């Protein structure tokens, strides 16, 4: 039985990279005295699989991992118990928000898009107009590195939504107050292939600046799962609605 | 005291491995600062991944935080990328626990486990806004203390520290805390008053209270400036490890570090008597931890940290009387979390030890490491590493037979009396090991790791002139040239060995060289990408100090050594006689199981070995099969 866990990662702990976070989970299961099944073979590995990598310094309300427990949970009560048990052994800033029995698909296959909220340290009007310009642009070329090579890519097809007027109520109050001086941008971007990273969005919004000088914080608020084969058209509100009617990974 | 977090935070997304700077580890203690408490900043002068596992620092962190009159936080050397951003913005060195500025602490205590980190000590002080020269510090500046193995010759740092602590810190930190607390309560008047009080604590050395006179290159006298300052400072030793079951809450880092596993210290001290080994000489006598306590520390530590691997640490873990007992009692955890892996560092070279390692190894057996140290039996007698060829081959045979496919052999080169035959003997031993391995697996490989020997203070080899860069390189090339198929040779940069030699046996004047290297940008000198020997040579030349005088020159019996006023408890006569005995190729057996030859430590300190077993462990003395019960061969004449 594969259990899917969702968790948030907010605050200082955001500086812990993806691999280190994976190791942290391995230790957390042992601390919580939850056995993790291991693969067969000469070098047994714990049956844990992690979703999309969260960039170091990025925060999130919705990270996911799949785990096969051994012994398996014996009922719903056991499963409901997992979140508090694991939260208790995690460092401050990591809170397990949900646990449920996962379907056959892997997390990586399931997730097609992700929503980010970026806190940008630029005047709000400037951010609004830059965002509008990007939405109107047919192509957005940025330079990025792939396998050690610099290359130019058009990231426009990977940007589904980009807006400054959105409902911020999903964001934790603490987080909002910490970024109160910044302008917020919400972006829905593709995760397939190379994906579009928050720093690349900043690069597109304010070319030439070191992205982390422009963006003080960035938080993932949703991961989208697609159950139909409907393509996601860039910036189509319909696409988002289509995604929304499918399973939306539980938020805090 | 305020936190610098809000200024540090915006920089972290822009540096490598930012988790180095956030604290939040398992086992981190929430510091409670307050009036009347002495605030300690425990500093490790290298990067976080290297410093965090340091047991000495973890132990003191816990002991100090348990005291009602003390509070301790930790800091590590910020990597060069963050340091540059901090200097650009005027952000001082900070603690990782609560991001307080270094200057807000009462005491900064550096752990010195190596000598090339000295430039980082200066850099961290400077980054903390603390004057690097002791003489320029105001009473409001923190008290700068050093400890750890390298502190047994702190003379090169004499101008930069307030005090050095010799030996084990468990008890002495409390005594230092009392003195600093009283000094704070009295309004932190002059620093000199503090120094005088610190110098009264056994094991605490205050360099500025001594006058050192040089004639030409030589040290001619080291004299206390006041009558109540001791002429000789002797190290501190904890007599019973059973009373110190620290760390009780081991630090488990969030990010990967060099020794990423639980460490449980099974004993301190080593009387194998390897003459090159400073650790073995300065940590005597042997004090074992009761096997029951070891078991408790393992269980408790694994539970608290979530680690599934434990390393049983000491200078030679297979010598621990309770080793088989402890190892066999580590059974699979009933909660299905699996049996923890046990790693045994510092393996003795014999088949018994490999059998033990096989018993505890997990499914994957990647590599096993042995340290024969020298290529021939003759040279191994010189250095008193009494391993025969048969011992090594037996161990290697056992390793391959037990499923290991790679072995790594550690050797030193540039040892006293080493001839080219000895050096080539390294390649021959390695070839012999490969031949054994081929019987078991076609993948058999042997890696030879060569280190250039650097003589250390308080060892019988402290009088030996080390090999220069060219000679070490020549010997390395000799081994490389003689290495057969299946043998990989790796080596330590001989240039770094020269700089290490200068810092290891230097006197106070070498401090000026260290300062110049640091001012020239020479930080992280343990890291090959930052080490440049010319910086050291240029600095020494600018100070008019001949490097070869400190490094490659043999010393004589009548010479006053720069650390002569500091004692690890070893009689000078014992060390000198052992040095002469080594040149005569005489070995000296382990005094745990043979009559005392009076090195000075036990008799001088009223201590004794704490060993649970009256007989040597299976395998004999370093596996030589020497019948130690009959007294063995004690060729050294000891003058008492």
């Amino acid at each position: 039985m594969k259990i899917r866990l969702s968790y948030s990662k907010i605050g200082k702990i955001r500086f812990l990279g993806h691999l280190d976070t994976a190791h942290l989970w391995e230790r957390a299961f042992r601390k919580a005295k939850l056995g993790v099944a291991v693969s067969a073979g000469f070098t047994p590995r714990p049956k844990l699989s992690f979703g999309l990598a969260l960039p170091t310094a990025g925060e999130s309300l919705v990270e996911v991992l799949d785990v096969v427990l051994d012994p398996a949970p014996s009922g719903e009560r056991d499963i409901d118990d997992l979140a508090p048990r694991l939260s208790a052994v995690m460092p401050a800033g990591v809170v397990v928000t949900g646990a449920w029995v996962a379907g056959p698909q892997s997390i990586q296959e399931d997730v097609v898009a992700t929503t980010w909220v970026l806190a940008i340290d630029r005047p709000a009007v400037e951010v609004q107009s830059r965002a509008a310009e990007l939405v109107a642009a047919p192509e957005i070329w940025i330079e990025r590195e792939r396998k050690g090579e610099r290359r130019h890519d058009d990231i426009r097809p990977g940007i589904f939504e980009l807006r400054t007027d959105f409902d911020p109520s999903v964001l934790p109050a603490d987080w909002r107050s910490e970024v109160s001086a910044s302008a917020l941008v919400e972006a829905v971007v593709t995760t397939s292939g190379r994906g579009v990273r928050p720093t690349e969005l900043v690069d597109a919004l304010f070319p030439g600046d070191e992205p982390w000088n422009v963006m003080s914080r960035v938080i993932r608020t949703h991961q989208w799962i697609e159950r139909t084969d409907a393509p996601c058209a860039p910036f189509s509100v319909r696409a988002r609605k289509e995604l929304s009617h499918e399973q939306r990974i539980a938020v805090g | 005291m305020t936190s610098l977090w809000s200024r540090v935070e915006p920089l972290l997304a822009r540096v490598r491995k930012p988790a180095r700077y956030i604290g939040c580890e398992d086992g981190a203690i929430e510091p409670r600062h307050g009036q009347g408490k002495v605030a300690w900043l425990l500093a490790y002068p290298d990067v976080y991944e290297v410093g965090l596992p340091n047991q000495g620092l973890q132990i003191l962190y816990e002991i100090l935080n348990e005291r009602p009159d003390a509070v301790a936080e930790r800091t590590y050397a910020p990597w060069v990328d963050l340091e540059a951003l901090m200097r650009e913005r005027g952000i001082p060195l900070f603690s990782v626990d609560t991001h307080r500025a270094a200057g807000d602490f009462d005491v900064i205590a550096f752990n010195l486990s190596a000598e090339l980190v000295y430039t980082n000590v200066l850099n961290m002080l400077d980054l903390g806004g603390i004057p690097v020269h002791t003489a320029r510090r105001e009473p409001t500046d923190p008290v700068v203390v050093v400890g750890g193995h390298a502190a047994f010759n702190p003379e090169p740092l004499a101008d930069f520290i307030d005090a050095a602590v010799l030996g084990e810190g468990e008890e002495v930190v409390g005594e230092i805390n009392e003195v600093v607390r009283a000094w704070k309560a009295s309004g932190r008047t002059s620093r000199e008053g503090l120094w005088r009080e610190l110098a009264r604590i056994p094991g605490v050395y205050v360099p500025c209270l001594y006058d050192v006179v040089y004639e030409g290159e030589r040290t001619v006298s080291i004299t206390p400036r006041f009558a109540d300052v001791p002429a000789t400072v002797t190290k501190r030793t904890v007599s019973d490890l059973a009373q110190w079951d620290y760390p009780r809450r081991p630090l488990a880092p969030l990010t990967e570090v060099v020794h990423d596993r639980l460490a449980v210290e099974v004993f301190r001290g080593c009387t194998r008597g390897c003459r090159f080994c400073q650790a073995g000489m300065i940590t005597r006598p042997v004090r074992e931890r009761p096997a029951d306590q070891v078991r408790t520390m393992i269980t408790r530590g694994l539970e608290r940290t979530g680690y599934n691997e434990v390393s049983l640490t000491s200078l030679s873990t297979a010598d621990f009387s309770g080793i088989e007992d402890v190892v066999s009692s580590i059974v699979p955890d009933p909660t299905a979390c699996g049996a923890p892996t046990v790693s045994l560092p510092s393996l003795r070279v014999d088949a018994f030890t490999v059998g033990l390692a096989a018993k505890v190894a997990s499914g994957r057996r990647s590599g096993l490491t042995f340290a024969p140290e020298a290529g021939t039996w003759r040279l191994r007698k010189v250095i008193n590493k009494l391993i025969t060829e048969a011992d090594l081959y037996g161990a290697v045979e056992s390793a391959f037979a037990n499923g290991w496919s790679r072995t790594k052999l550690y050797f030193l080169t540039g040892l006293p009396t080493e001839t080219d035959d000895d050096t080539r003997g390294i390649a021959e031993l390695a070839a012999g090991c490969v031949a054994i391995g081929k019987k078991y697996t076609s993948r058999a490989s042997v890696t030879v790791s060569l280190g250039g020997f650097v003589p250390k203070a308080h060892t019988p080899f402290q009088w030996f002139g080390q090999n220069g860069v060219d000679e070490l390189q020549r010997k390395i090339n000799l081994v490389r040239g003689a290495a057969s198929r299946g043998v990989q040779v790796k080596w330590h940069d001989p240039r770094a060995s020269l700089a290490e030699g200068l810092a290891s046996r230097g006197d106070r004047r070498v401090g000026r060289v260290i300062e110049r290297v640091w001012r020239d940008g020479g930080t992280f000198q343990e890291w090959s990408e930052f080490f440049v020997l010319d910086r050291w040579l240029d600095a020494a030349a600018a100070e008019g100090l001949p490097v070869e005088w400190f490094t490659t020159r043999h010393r004589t019996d009548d010479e006053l050594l720069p650390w002569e006023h500091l004692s690890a408890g070893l009689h000078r006569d014992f060390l000198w006689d052992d040095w002469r005995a080594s040149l005569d190729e005489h070995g000296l057996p382990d005094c745990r199981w043979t009559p005392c030859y009076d090195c000075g430590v036990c008799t001088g300190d009223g201590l004794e070995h704490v060993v649970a077993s009256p007989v040597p462990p299976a395998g004999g003395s370093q596996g030589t099969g020497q019948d130690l019960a009959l007294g063995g061969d004690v060729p050294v004449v000891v003058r008492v």
Side-chain angles (χ1 to χ4, degrees), chain B residues 185-202:
Chain B
S186 71
R188 287 180 100 116
T189 47
S190 84
R191 269 185 115 80
E192 182 162 333
L194 174 74
W195 293 332
R196 296 286 288 276
E197 287 304 313
L198 286 173
R200 296 163 71 95
I201 304 172

Side-chain angles (χ1 to χ4, degrees), chain B residues 17-29:
Chain B
K17 303 189 182 177
R20 289 164 169 166
Y21 312 108
I22 62 172
C24 303
E25 304 91 342
D26 262 325
I29 300 164

